[in-house]
Amino acid sequence: MELHDVWFVLIAVLWTGYFFLEGFDFGIGVLTKLLARDRKEKRVLINTIGPVWDGNEVWLLSAGGATFAAFPEWYATLFSGFYLPLLLILLCLIVRGVAFEYRVKRTGERWQANWEHAIFWTSLLPAFLWGVAFGNIVRGVKIDADMEYVGTLGDLLNPYALLGGLLTLTLFTFHGAVFAGLKTLGGIRERARKLALRLGVVSGVLAVAFLGWTQLDNGDAASLVAMAVAVLALVGAIGFTAAGREGWAFGLSGVTIVAAVAMLFLTLFPNVMPSSLNEAWSLTVTNASSTPYTLKIMTWCAGIAMPVVLLYQGWTYWVFRKRIGTQHIADAH
């Protein structure tokens, strides 16, 4: 296996980790409107991800940085062609981080309500737009012989990509509801379980439609196996949610996301960004990659840094593993 193939796999792993972790993160943000009944319950939901949300976003920074260094042509075409949606995602992530930190700086009703609105919308929009973006990457976009995107914003809003956006939004919200059931106590835990069951069914329908469409267009035996794992894991997650086994349900909802993202990358390889105008103009792991020397240096750096990051983040989740409820929220807040 060549180094550019290795880095394609590593970037796929980084994006998979990001969607697994930030998926329930986004889901919790959406659930602050759908699940919480009062300010204390909103505080409970936000506190379930309070110690970890910023660490989850490290995976996005790593995936973006790795793409820039390992596949500069891919990075350049992606960020020029998808400039507006990616800019909107980045703005949402910035405002979302500020909202988490500033919401509790004052006790005023209007102040906190405005930041809660910001948390909801800046969680919902990226959850949808990431699906649209990856749907377009897998489907192929208008790239010319100079490796430049020559389409319009309207070209990105096609039925396949929009279906991908709806899938990521509902699947992430389901993932968040299962996580809320795993991390909370009392009435909010029970309502999270009931909502997760409904979201799981909707996610299942959308997953079969989107992944089935992907398989018919670009799939092979390996992607079919990944699709089967994703669908079966989602069914299992719904079943364990109904049984009140939140730990198993969360693990399987995570497997669903991992298998679904793996399927997308399996159908993409060896392309990194197919051209819908001419297959010969597609960006591949070969023509979009950096020099072998650059990839070699990056491999050594990643081999040293990634285990440290994984150990630290795993330790963080272990420290903050206990459930919380409204009884843990001080009245002053």
Side-chain angles (χ1 to χ4, degrees), residues 59 303-319:
W59 289 78
I304 296 171
M306 282 195 70
V308 176
V309 173
L310 291 173
L311 285 172
Y312 172 76
Q313 195 161 23
W315 175 79
T316 303
Y317 276 94
W318 174 256
V319 170

mmCIF file with all atom_site columns, all heavy atoms in Angstrom, residues 59 303-319:
data_model
loop_
_atom_site.group_PDB
_atom_site.id
_atom_site.type_symbol
_atom_site.label_atom_id
_atom_site.label_alt_id
_atom_site.label_comp_id
_atom_site.label_asym_id
_atom_site.label_entity_id
_atom_site.label_seq_id
_atom_site.pdbx_PDB_ins_code
_atom_site.Cartn_x
_atom_site.Cartn_y
_atom_site.Cartn_z
_atom_site.occupancy
_atom_site.B_iso_or_equiv
_atom_site.pdbx_formal_charge
_atom_site.auth_seq_id
_atom_site.auth_comp_id
_atom_site.auth_asym_id
_atom_site.auth_atom_id
_atom_site.pdbx_PDB_model_num
ATOM 1   N N   . TRP A 1 59  ? -11.101 16.627 16.199 1.00 0.00 ? 59  TRP A N   1
ATOM 2   C CA  . TRP A 1 59  ? -11.100 15.675 15.087 1.00 0.00 ? 59  TRP A CA  1
ATOM 3   C C   . TRP A 1 59  ? -11.346 16.378 13.757 1.00 0.00 ? 59  TRP A C   1
ATOM 4   O O   . TRP A 1 59  ? -10.784 15.988 12.723 1.00 0.00 ? 59  TRP A O   1
ATOM 5   C CB  . TRP A 1 59  ? -12.166 14.602 15.329 1.00 0.00 ? 59  TRP A CB  1
ATOM 6   C CG  . TRP A 1 59  ? -11.802 13.672 16.421 1.00 0.00 ? 59  TRP A CG  1
ATOM 7   C CD1 . TRP A 1 59  ? -11.891 13.909 17.773 1.00 0.00 ? 59  TRP A CD1 1
ATOM 8   C CD2 . TRP A 1 59  ? -11.246 12.356 16.299 1.00 0.00 ? 59  TRP A CD2 1
ATOM 9   N NE1 . TRP A 1 59  ? -11.448 12.826 18.485 1.00 0.00 ? 59  TRP A NE1 1
ATOM 10  C CE2 . TRP A 1 59  ? -11.054 11.856 17.605 1.00 0.00 ? 59  TRP A CE2 1
ATOM 11  C CE3 . TRP A 1 59  ? -10.927 11.540 15.214 1.00 0.00 ? 59  TRP A CE3 1
ATOM 12  C CZ2 . TRP A 1 59  ? -10.540 10.588 17.852 1.00 0.00 ? 59  TRP A CZ2 1
ATOM 13  C CZ3 . TRP A 1 59  ? -10.411 10.275 15.445 1.00 0.00 ? 59  TRP A CZ3 1
ATOM 14  C CH2 . TRP A 1 59  ? -10.221 9.808  16.744 1.00 0.00 ? 59  TRP A CH2 1
ATOM 15  N N   . GLY A 1 303 ? 1.999   9.187  13.878 1.00 0.00 ? 303 GLY A N   1
ATOM 16  C CA  . GLY A 1 303 ? 2.238   8.016  14.719 1.00 0.00 ? 303 GLY A CA  1
ATOM 17  C C   . GLY A 1 303 ? 2.582   8.380  16.148 1.00 0.00 ? 303 GLY A C   1
ATOM 18  O O   . GLY A 1 303 ? 2.294   7.620  17.084 1.00 0.00 ? 303 GLY A O   1
ATOM 19  N N   . ILE A 1 304 ? 3.177   9.553  16.351 1.00 0.00 ? 304 ILE A N   1
ATOM 20  C CA  . ILE A 1 304 ? 3.526   10.000 17.701 1.00 0.00 ? 304 ILE A CA  1
ATOM 21  C C   . ILE A 1 304 ? 2.363   10.734 18.365 1.00 0.00 ? 304 ILE A C   1
ATOM 22  O O   . ILE A 1 304 ? 2.063   10.520 19.542 1.00 0.00 ? 304 ILE A O   1
ATOM 23  C CB  . ILE A 1 304 ? 4.767   10.919 17.642 1.00 0.00 ? 304 ILE A CB  1
ATOM 24  C CG1 . ILE A 1 304 ? 5.977   10.123 17.146 1.00 0.00 ? 304 ILE A CG1 1
ATOM 25  C CG2 . ILE A 1 304 ? 5.051   11.543 19.002 1.00 0.00 ? 304 ILE A CG2 1
ATOM 26  C CD1 . ILE A 1 304 ? 7.189   10.987 16.840 1.00 0.00 ? 304 ILE A CD1 1
ATOM 27  N N   . ALA A 1 305 ? 1.692   11.599 17.606 1.00 0.00 ? 305 ALA A N   1
ATOM 28  C CA  . ALA A 1 305 ? 0.684   12.482 18.193 1.00 0.00 ? 305 ALA A CA  1
ATOM 29  C C   . ALA A 1 305 ? -0.661  11.802 18.431 1.00 0.00 ? 305 ALA A C   1
ATOM 30  O O   . ALA A 1 305 ? -1.309  12.040 19.459 1.00 0.00 ? 305 ALA A O   1
ATOM 31  C CB  . ALA A 1 305 ? 0.495   13.706 17.300 1.00 0.00 ? 305 ALA A CB  1
ATOM 32  N N   . MET A 1 306 ? -1.110  10.966 17.505 1.00 0.00 ? 306 MET A N   1
ATOM 33  C CA  . MET A 1 306 ? -2.456  10.412 17.610 1.00 0.00 ? 306 MET A CA  1
ATOM 34  C C   . MET A 1 306 ? -2.678  9.557  18.853 1.00 0.00 ? 306 MET A C   1
ATOM 35  O O   . MET A 1 306 ? -3.712  9.681  19.511 1.00 0.00 ? 306 MET A O   1
ATOM 36  C CB  . MET A 1 306 ? -2.815  9.621  16.346 1.00 0.00 ? 306 MET A CB  1
ATOM 37  C CG  . MET A 1 306 ? -3.213  10.507 15.181 1.00 0.00 ? 306 MET A CG  1
ATOM 38  S SD  . MET A 1 306 ? -4.038  9.607  13.845 1.00 0.00 ? 306 MET A SD  1
ATOM 39  C CE  . MET A 1 306 ? -5.609  9.194  14.610 1.00 0.00 ? 306 MET A CE  1
ATOM 40  N N   . PRO A 1 307 ? -1.749  8.682  19.255 1.00 0.00 ? 307 PRO A N   1
ATOM 41  C CA  . PRO A 1 307 ? -1.982  7.924  20.489 1.00 0.00 ? 307 PRO A CA  1
ATOM 42  C C   . PRO A 1 307 ? -2.134  8.815  21.711 1.00 0.00 ? 307 PRO A C   1
ATOM 43  O O   . PRO A 1 307 ? -2.942  8.525  22.612 1.00 0.00 ? 307 PRO A O   1
ATOM 44  C CB  . PRO A 1 307 ? -0.723  7.046  20.599 1.00 0.00 ? 307 PRO A CB  1
ATOM 45  C CG  . PRO A 1 307 ? -0.236  6.902  19.199 1.00 0.00 ? 307 PRO A CG  1
ATOM 46  C CD  . PRO A 1 307 ? -0.530  8.217  18.553 1.00 0.00 ? 307 PRO A CD  1
ATOM 47  N N   . VAL A 1 308 ? -1.385  9.916  21.760 1.00 0.00 ? 308 VAL A N   1
ATOM 48  C CA  . VAL A 1 308 ? -1.488  10.845 22.892 1.00 0.00 ? 308 VAL A CA  1
ATOM 49  C C   . VAL A 1 308 ? -2.874  11.477 22.931 1.00 0.00 ? 308 VAL A C   1
ATOM 50  O O   . VAL A 1 308 ? -3.513  11.566 23.987 1.00 0.00 ? 308 VAL A O   1
ATOM 51  C CB  . VAL A 1 308 ? -0.402  11.936 22.803 1.00 0.00 ? 308 VAL A CB  1
ATOM 52  C CG1 . VAL A 1 308 ? -0.576  12.961 23.923 1.00 0.00 ? 308 VAL A CG1 1
ATOM 53  C CG2 . VAL A 1 308 ? 0.978   11.310 22.858 1.00 0.00 ? 308 VAL A CG2 1
ATOM 54  N N   . VAL A 1 309 ? -3.358  11.918 21.773 1.00 0.00 ? 309 VAL A N   1
ATOM 55  C CA  . VAL A 1 309 ? -4.679  12.534 21.692 1.00 0.00 ? 309 VAL A CA  1
ATOM 56  C C   . VAL A 1 309 ? -5.764  11.535 22.096 1.00 0.00 ? 309 VAL A C   1
ATOM 57  O O   . VAL A 1 309 ? -6.692  11.867 22.854 1.00 0.00 ? 309 VAL A O   1
ATOM 58  C CB  . VAL A 1 309 ? -4.939  13.069 20.276 1.00 0.00 ? 309 VAL A CB  1
ATOM 59  C CG1 . VAL A 1 309 ? -6.374  13.563 20.132 1.00 0.00 ? 309 VAL A CG1 1
ATOM 60  C CG2 . VAL A 1 309 ? -3.965  14.193 19.942 1.00 0.00 ? 309 VAL A CG2 1
ATOM 61  N N   . LEU A 1 310 ? -5.654  10.307 21.610 1.00 0.00 ? 310 LEU A N   1
ATOM 62  C CA  . LEU A 1 310 ? -6.656  9.291  21.930 1.00 0.00 ? 310 LEU A CA  1
ATOM 63  C C   . LEU A 1 310 ? -6.672  8.977  23.425 1.00 0.00 ? 310 LEU A C   1
ATOM 64  O O   . LEU A 1 310 ? -7.745  8.837  24.032 1.00 0.00 ? 310 LEU A O   1
ATOM 65  C CB  . LEU A 1 310 ? -6.383  8.025  21.124 1.00 0.00 ? 310 LEU A CB  1
ATOM 66  C CG  . LEU A 1 310 ? -6.630  8.122  19.615 1.00 0.00 ? 310 LEU A CG  1
ATOM 67  C CD1 . LEU A 1 310 ? -6.156  6.855  18.913 1.00 0.00 ? 310 LEU A CD1 1
ATOM 68  C CD2 . LEU A 1 310 ? -8.102  8.360  19.323 1.00 0.00 ? 310 LEU A CD2 1
ATOM 69  N N   . LEU A 1 311 ? -5.504  8.863  24.021 1.00 0.00 ? 311 LEU A N   1
ATOM 70  C CA  . LEU A 1 311 ? -5.430  8.573  25.452 1.00 0.00 ? 311 LEU A CA  1
ATOM 71  C C   . LEU A 1 311 ? -6.018  9.714  26.281 1.00 0.00 ? 311 LEU A C   1
ATOM 72  O O   . LEU A 1 311 ? -6.777  9.488  27.234 1.00 0.00 ? 311 LEU A O   1
ATOM 73  C CB  . LEU A 1 311 ? -3.971  8.327  25.862 1.00 0.00 ? 311 LEU A CB  1
ATOM 74  C CG  . LEU A 1 311 ? -3.382  6.986  25.439 1.00 0.00 ? 311 LEU A CG  1
ATOM 75  C CD1 . LEU A 1 311 ? -1.882  6.953  25.726 1.00 0.00 ? 311 LEU A CD1 1
ATOM 76  C CD2 . LEU A 1 311 ? -4.077  5.840  26.165 1.00 0.00 ? 311 LEU A CD2 1
ATOM 77  N N   . TYR A 1 312 ? -5.690  10.940 25.912 1.00 0.00 ? 312 TYR A N   1
ATOM 78  C CA  . TYR A 1 312 ? -6.195  12.083 26.657 1.00 0.00 ? 312 TYR A CA  1
ATOM 79  C C   . TYR A 1 312 ? -7.712  12.183 26.541 1.00 0.00 ? 312 TYR A C   1
ATOM 80  O O   . TYR A 1 312 ? -8.416  12.396 27.541 1.00 0.00 ? 312 TYR A O   1
ATOM 81  C CB  . TYR A 1 312 ? -5.546  13.375 26.163 1.00 0.00 ? 312 TYR A CB  1
ATOM 82  C CG  . TYR A 1 312 ? -6.175  14.611 26.761 1.00 0.00 ? 312 TYR A CG  1
ATOM 83  C CD1 . TYR A 1 312 ? -5.892  14.982 28.075 1.00 0.00 ? 312 TYR A CD1 1
ATOM 84  C CD2 . TYR A 1 312 ? -7.065  15.390 26.030 1.00 0.00 ? 312 TYR A CD2 1
ATOM 85  C CE1 . TYR A 1 312 ? -6.471  16.100 28.634 1.00 0.00 ? 312 TYR A CE1 1
ATOM 86  C CE2 . TYR A 1 312 ? -7.653  16.508 26.585 1.00 0.00 ? 312 TYR A CE2 1
ATOM 87  C CZ  . TYR A 1 312 ? -7.352  16.866 27.890 1.00 0.00 ? 312 TYR A CZ  1
ATOM 88  O OH  . TYR A 1 312 ? -7.939  17.971 28.436 1.00 0.00 ? 312 TYR A OH  1
ATOM 89  N N   . GLN A 1 313 ? -8.241  12.021 25.323 1.00 0.00 ? 313 GLN A N   1
ATOM 90  C CA  . GLN A 1 313 ? -9.685  12.151 25.147 1.00 0.00 ? 313 GLN A CA  1
ATOM 91  C C   . GLN A 1 313 ? -10.418 11.000 25.826 1.00 0.00 ? 313 GLN A C   1
ATOM 92  O O   . GLN A 1 313 ? -11.484 11.201 26.422 1.00 0.00 ? 313 GLN A O   1
ATOM 93  C CB  . GLN A 1 313 ? -10.033 12.204 23.667 1.00 0.00 ? 313 GLN A CB  1
ATOM 94  C CG  . GLN A 1 313 ? -11.451 12.686 23.413 1.00 0.00 ? 313 GLN A CG  1
ATOM 95  C CD  . GLN A 1 313 ? -11.668 13.179 22.007 1.00 0.00 ? 313 GLN A CD  1
ATOM 96  O OE1 . GLN A 1 313 ? -10.943 12.805 21.097 1.00 0.00 ? 313 GLN A OE1 1
ATOM 97  N NE2 . GLN A 1 313 ? -12.676 14.021 21.811 1.00 0.00 ? 313 GLN A NE2 1
ATOM 98  N N   . GLY A 1 314 ? -9.870  9.800  25.766 1.00 0.00 ? 314 GLY A N   1
ATOM 99  C CA  . GLY A 1 314 ? -10.469 8.681  26.468 1.00 0.00 ? 314 GLY A CA  1
ATOM 100 C C   . GLY A 1 314 ? -10.510 8.910  27.968 1.00 0.00 ? 314 GLY A C   1
ATOM 101 O O   . GLY A 1 314 ? -11.503 8.595  28.638 1.00 0.00 ? 314 GLY A O   1
ATOM 102 N N   . TRP A 1 315 ? -9.442  9.481  28.510 1.00 0.00 ? 315 TRP A N   1
ATOM 103 C CA  . TRP A 1 315 ? -9.390  9.794  29.946 1.00 0.00 ? 315 TRP A CA  1
ATOM 104 C C   . TRP A 1 315 ? -10.451 10.831 30.301 1.00 0.00 ? 315 TRP A C   1
ATOM 105 O O   . TRP A 1 315 ? -11.099 10.726 31.357 1.00 0.00 ? 315 TRP A O   1
ATOM 106 C CB  . TRP A 1 315 ? -7.996  10.305 30.295 1.00 0.00 ? 315 TRP A CB  1
ATOM 107 C CG  . TRP A 1 315 ? -7.862  10.759 31.718 1.00 0.00 ? 315 TRP A CG  1
ATOM 108 C CD1 . TRP A 1 315 ? -7.703  9.976  32.826 1.00 0.00 ? 315 TRP A CD1 1
ATOM 109 C CD2 . TRP A 1 315 ? -7.865  12.112 32.182 1.00 0.00 ? 315 TRP A CD2 1
ATOM 110 N NE1 . TRP A 1 315 ? -7.615  10.759 33.946 1.00 0.00 ? 315 TRP A NE1 1
ATOM 111 C CE2 . TRP A 1 315 ? -7.714  12.068 33.590 1.00 0.00 ? 315 TRP A CE2 1
ATOM 112 C CE3 . TRP A 1 315 ? -7.987  13.350 31.550 1.00 0.00 ? 315 TRP A CE3 1
ATOM 113 C CZ2 . TRP A 1 315 ? -7.679  13.220 34.362 1.00 0.00 ? 315 TRP A CZ2 1
ATOM 114 C CZ3 . TRP A 1 315 ? -7.951  14.497 32.319 1.00 0.00 ? 315 TRP A CZ3 1
ATOM 115 C CH2 . TRP A 1 315 ? -7.800  14.432 33.708 1.00 0.00 ? 315 TRP A CH2 1
ATOM 116 N N   . THR A 1 316 ? -10.658 11.817 29.439 1.00 0.00 ? 316 THR A N   1
ATOM 117 C CA  . THR A 1 316 ? -11.670 12.841 29.700 1.00 0.00 ? 316 THR A CA  1
ATOM 118 C C   . THR A 1 316 ? -13.056 12.224 29.803 1.00 0.00 ? 316 THR A C   1
ATOM 119 O O   . THR A 1 316 ? -13.836 12.545 30.717 1.00 0.00 ? 316 THR A O   1
ATOM 120 C CB  . THR A 1 316 ? -11.654 13.904 28.577 1.00 0.00 ? 316 THR A CB  1
ATOM 121 O OG1 . THR A 1 316 ? -10.356 14.473 28.487 1.00 0.00 ? 316 THR A OG1 1
ATOM 122 C CG2 . THR A 1 316 ? -12.675 14.998 28.859 1.00 0.00 ? 316 THR A CG2 1
ATOM 123 N N   . TYR A 1 317 ? -13.395 11.334 28.873 1.00 0.00 ? 317 TYR A N   1
ATOM 124 C CA  . TYR A 1 317 ? -14.708 10.691 28.914 1.00 0.00 ? 317 TYR A CA  1
ATOM 125 C C   . TYR A 1 317 ? -14.854 9.814  30.167 1.00 0.00 ? 317 TYR A C   1
ATOM 126 O O   . TYR A 1 317 ? -15.946 9.711  30.728 1.00 0.00 ? 317 TYR A O   1
ATOM 127 C CB  . TYR A 1 317 ? -14.929 9.857  27.649 1.00 0.00 ? 317 TYR A CB  1
ATOM 128 C CG  . TYR A 1 317 ? -15.448 10.667 26.493 1.00 0.00 ? 317 TYR A CG  1
ATOM 129 C CD1 . TYR A 1 317 ? -14.576 11.220 25.550 1.00 0.00 ? 317 TYR A CD1 1
ATOM 130 C CD2 . TYR A 1 317 ? -16.811 10.891 26.329 1.00 0.00 ? 317 TYR A CD2 1
ATOM 131 C CE1 . TYR A 1 317 ? -15.053 11.976 24.493 1.00 0.00 ? 317 TYR A CE1 1
ATOM 132 C CE2 . TYR A 1 317 ? -17.294 11.645 25.268 1.00 0.00 ? 317 TYR A CE2 1
ATOM 133 C CZ  . TYR A 1 317 ? -16.402 12.183 24.363 1.00 0.00 ? 317 TYR A CZ  1
ATOM 134 O OH  . TYR A 1 317 ? -16.880 12.927 23.318 1.00 0.00 ? 317 TYR A OH  1
ATOM 135 N N   . TRP A 1 318 ? -13.760 9.197  30.589 1.00 0.00 ? 318 TRP A N   1
ATOM 136 C CA  . TRP A 1 318 ? -13.827 8.353  31.782 1.00 0.00 ? 318 TRP A CA  1
ATOM 137 C C   . TRP A 1 318 ? -14.073 9.194  33.030 1.00 0.00 ? 318 TRP A C   1
ATOM 138 O O   . TRP A 1 318 ? -14.894 8.834  33.878 1.00 0.00 ? 318 TRP A O   1
ATOM 139 C CB  . TRP A 1 318 ? -12.534 7.561  31.920 1.00 0.00 ? 318 TRP A CB  1
ATOM 140 C CG  . TRP A 1 318 ? -12.455 6.761  33.200 1.00 0.00 ? 318 TRP A CG  1
ATOM 141 C CD1 . TRP A 1 318 ? -11.728 7.049  34.308 1.00 0.00 ? 318 TRP A CD1 1
ATOM 142 C CD2 . TRP A 1 318 ? -13.157 5.547  33.478 1.00 0.00 ? 318 TRP A CD2 1
ATOM 143 N NE1 . TRP A 1 318 ? -11.930 6.092  35.271 1.00 0.00 ? 318 TRP A NE1 1
ATOM 144 C CE2 . TRP A 1 318 ? -12.808 5.159  34.786 1.00 0.00 ? 318 TRP A CE2 1
ATOM 145 C CE3 . TRP A 1 318 ? -14.042 4.764  32.742 1.00 0.00 ? 318 TRP A CE3 1
ATOM 146 C CZ2 . TRP A 1 318 ? -13.310 4.010  35.379 1.00 0.00 ? 318 TRP A CZ2 1
ATOM 147 C CZ3 . TRP A 1 318 ? -14.560 3.613  33.340 1.00 0.00 ? 318 TRP A CZ3 1
ATOM 148 C CH2 . TRP A 1 318 ? -14.180 3.252  34.639 1.00 0.00 ? 318 TRP A CH2 1
ATOM 149 N N   . VAL A 1 319 ? -13.417 10.318 33.135 1.00 0.00 ? 319 VAL A N   1
ATOM 150 C CA  . VAL A 1 319 ? -13.573 11.190 34.310 1.00 0.00 ? 319 VAL A CA  1
ATOM 151 C C   . VAL A 1 319 ? -15.011 11.706 34.412 1.00 0.00 ? 319 VAL A C   1
ATOM 152 O O   . VAL A 1 319 ? -15.581 11.769 35.508 1.00 0.00 ? 319 VAL A O   1
ATOM 153 C CB  . VAL A 1 319 ? -12.571 12.360 34.243 1.00 0.00 ? 319 VAL A CB  1
ATOM 154 C CG1 . VAL A 1 319 ? -12.881 13.404 35.319 1.00 0.00 ? 319 VAL A CG1 1
ATOM 155 C CG2 . VAL A 1 319 ? -11.146 11.846 34.412 1.00 0.00 ? 319 VAL A CG2 1
#
